[in-house]
Each structure stands twice: as C-alpha cells, then as structure tokens.
Amino acid sequence: MDAEPAEVEFRSEMTVELVRHSAADSDVLFAARVSTQGDKTLDHIGEDAGRSRGLINYLMRDRHGSPFEHNSMTFFVSAPIFVFREFMRHRIASYNEESGRYRELRPVFYRPSHERPLVQVGKPGAYTFVPGSAEQHALVTGEIETVCRDAYASYRRMLDAGVAREVARAVLPLTIYSSMYVTMNARSLMNFLSLRVHEEGSTFPSFPQAEIEAVARQMERLWAGLMPLTHEAFVAQGRVAP
Ligand SMILES: Cc1cc2nc3c(=O)[nH]c(=O)nc-3n(C[C@H](O)[C@H](O)[C@H](O)COP(=O)(O)OP(=O)(O)OC[C@H]3O[C@@H](n4cnc5c(N)ncnc54)[C@H](O)[C@@H]3O)c2cc1C
C-alpha cells in the first residue's frame, strides 16, 4: 500500500546552533606569548586586560594568524543544500552532513521570504539586489511550491516502488533543507566571515548570496560572544582574516 502523502513544509529561515566549543580570547594570548615567555604563558593569561587587547589587535593587524587557530567551535546548521554547496567550498573546516543514502529526506524546502530582494542590478562581482514586485513574489512562491511538491511526490513514488533512496533523491531540488555539523577555529571562521558577510567599510568588501550570509551572521554573533576581543580586533582591522 502507498504511504500517506507527506506534508510538504516551506521555510525561509536558516538556523545555527553552537553545540560545542573550546574558544576564548585567552587561547590566542597563551599561544602568542609562547614566543617570548615559553611554557610560562598559561600562568599569565588573566593579567592586564589592556595589554591583552593590544596584543590581539597587533596580531590581527600584522596578520600573525596562527595564534587564532588554538580553539574550536562546532555549529549545527540547518539550511538548503544550495547554501551547503557554497559553504563547503571553505576547506579549512570539518563537516558532517545528514545522508540522503541512509535516511529518507524530509519534505522541508526553502521559499524566500517577502523581505528577500528578488531583482539583481549591477555588474558581475558587485551586484546589488532590490525588492521584487508583488507579482514577482507571487510568481517565485508559486513556482517553487509547485516544483518542490511535484519533486517530492515523485521521490515518494520511487521509494514506494522499492527504489533505493540514493537513486530516488536525484529528483529533489537544491532548495531541500539539509543539516550538518561544521567545526572551525577562529582563523578559518574569520576567513569565512570575510567572504560571506557584506559589511560596508570592510577592507575587501564581499558580495555573498543572502542565504549563506544569513547563516554567517548567526555564526559571527555566536563567535563574538565567545571571543569578544578577537571579534573586536577583526572588525577594527577591516574584517581581513589574519
Ligand atoms: C561572493 C563569492 C562568489 C564566489 N563565486 C564563485 C564562483 O563563481 N565559482 C567558484 O568556483 N567559486 C566561487 N566562490 C568560492 C571561492 O572561490 C572560494 O572557494 C570560497 O570562498 C572559499 O574560500 P577559501 O578558499 O579562502 O576558503 P578555505 O578553503 O577555507 O581556505 C582558507 C585559506 O586556506 C588557504 N588554502 C586552502 N586551500 C588551499 C590550497 N589548495 N592551496 C593554497 N592555499 C589554500 C588559502 O589561503 C585560503 O584562503 C565564491 C565565493 C564568494 C565569497
């Protein structure tokens, strides 16, 4: 007997949770101070907040990157597969993603919110985006919903006929949500943020797609809470990864 048709869900938000971490400004300080103090550096971590801020700023400004590597943050990210495709270009990170071979993919798809700009203007490398009309939003919503519902129904028909998940998933669009753990250190995270967050005043402004930027901004907020001096120095030095 055929399974009941699954309820297809549409979402427009990405979610990020910080699930594990060993990351603090003191991790940068003890690593940097070994240059001059050898193995005594762990004894002096809490000393002199002003000098600590100054040292982190100096390391960031002069791009001494390795002291920013002695820490770790693991995020659980839920986003459409097209976001993960961009995300996983960032090789200095560790990834584990849910499998479309070993589990049935859930019918959760991305649909842009009304706030998401729809129309691209400008030239390659420096596009800007402006709001769509009501007609364009209705068109985007209708097309995405139709294609996703049809694709998922097709996926289910194949599963119900005994076709393997790894074959049946070929009909599913990149708008389907996936989930992954990604682990980065502050240095690789800064490289990621420098490219995936657009901030006026950055030394090298980037023009990321809105959906990955939404993920990156959540990661930046979580990281800033763990390593406030490092985050402050990153912003002050023009968001250039050291
Ligand atoms: C706005 C935007 C548009 C993009 N458009 C495209 C596109 O059209 N097509 C496309 O293919 N990609 C595109 N990308 C992806 C981009 O080219 C990078 O692959 C991605 O941003 C990851 O950057 P990364 O290599 O610095 O990161 P990571 O892979 O995390 O690497 C971090 C740093 O490690 C070093 N590193 C890592 N691997 C190597 C290596 N093999 N050799 C030497 N040094 C290494 C580099 O210093 C690098 O900056 C785009 C990215 C952005 C932000």
Side-chain angles (χ1 to χ4, degrees):
M1 205 173 87
D2 280 2
E4 288 289 305
E7 198 62 45
V8 175
E9 183 188 333
F10 292 95
R11 293 171 54 187
S12 51
E13 71 282 0
M14 326 285 144
T15 55
V16 177
E17 282 170 65
L18 178 72
V19 291
R20 298 172 74 115
H21 63 88
S22 169
D25 291 318
S26 53
D27 297 327
V28 181
L29 298 168
F30 92 82
R33 286 181 178 148
V34 77
S35 305
T36 52
Q37 296 172 21
D39 64 0
K40 296 194 185 66
T41 62
L42 278 172
D43 301 337
H44 301 289
I45 275 175
E47 289 174 8
D48 198 346
R51 280 186 61 214
S52 297
R53 174 180 263 117
L55 176 57
I56 288 178
N57 254 312
Y58 155 75
L59 295 168
M60 193 75 72
R61 189 194 65 218
D62 283 18
R63 303 192 66 213
H64 293 294
S66 52
F68 298 102
E69 296 172 8
H70 298 271
N71 58 82
S72 173
M73 291 163 275
T74 301
F75 301 93
F76 181 71
V77 183
S78 182
I81 284 178
F82 71 84
V83 171
F84 283 6
R85 201 155 177 268
E86 292 188 344
F87 204 131
M88 289 179 181
R89 297 302 307 279
H90 295 266
R91 294 157 289 180
I92 313 300
S94 304
Y95 299 99
N96 280 97
E97 184 182 0
E98 71 177 88
S99 170
R101 298 183 70 202
Y102 304 132
R103 67 180 288 185
E104 190 179 314
L105 295 174
R106 283 157 300 162
V108 182
F109 295 92
Y110 175 70
R111 178 184 56 196
S113 71
H114 276 267
E115 289 71 47
R116 205 285 187 212
L118 291 185
V119 179
Q120 177 178 301
V121 292
K123 57 181 178 14
Y127 291 122
T128 53
F129 289 81
V130 296
S133 64
E135 291 73 23
Q136 285 169 325
H137 270 289
L139 179 68
V140 168
T141 300
E143 294 292 344
I144 287 179
E145 289 189 1
T146 302
V147 167
C148 294
R149 284 185 205 286
D150 287 353
Y152 202 79
S154 166
Y155 176 65
R156 283 269 13 136
R157 278 194 297 276
M158 286 189 267
L159 295 183
D160 292 342
V163 173
R165 291 179 288 260
E166 68 182 34
V167 176
R169 69 173 169 177
V171 295
L172 294 172
L174 297 178
T175 45
I176 196 161
Y177 271 73
S178 186
S179 56
M180 67 168 175
Y181 289 113
V182 54
T183 300
M184 288 180 166
N185 61 45
R187 188 180 191 187
S188 60
L189 180 62
M190 284 187 270
N191 185 64
F192 175 77
L193 297 176
S194 73
L195 292 164
R196 301 301 183 178
V197 173
H198 179 81
E199 283 292 350
E200 293 303 329
S202 300
T203 304
F204 305 107
S206 190
F207 296 86
Q209 173 149 352
E211 287 76 12
I212 193 167
E213 185 176 23
V215 173
R217 284 188 182 279
Q218 292 181 60
M219 291 170 69
E220 181 165 353
R221 269 195 297 280
L222 292 164
W223 168 58
L226 299 175
M227 302 179 74
L229 295 183
T230 307
H231 179 255
E232 185 184 296
F234 171 64
V235 172
Q237 304 294 339
R239 302 177 68 87
V240 179

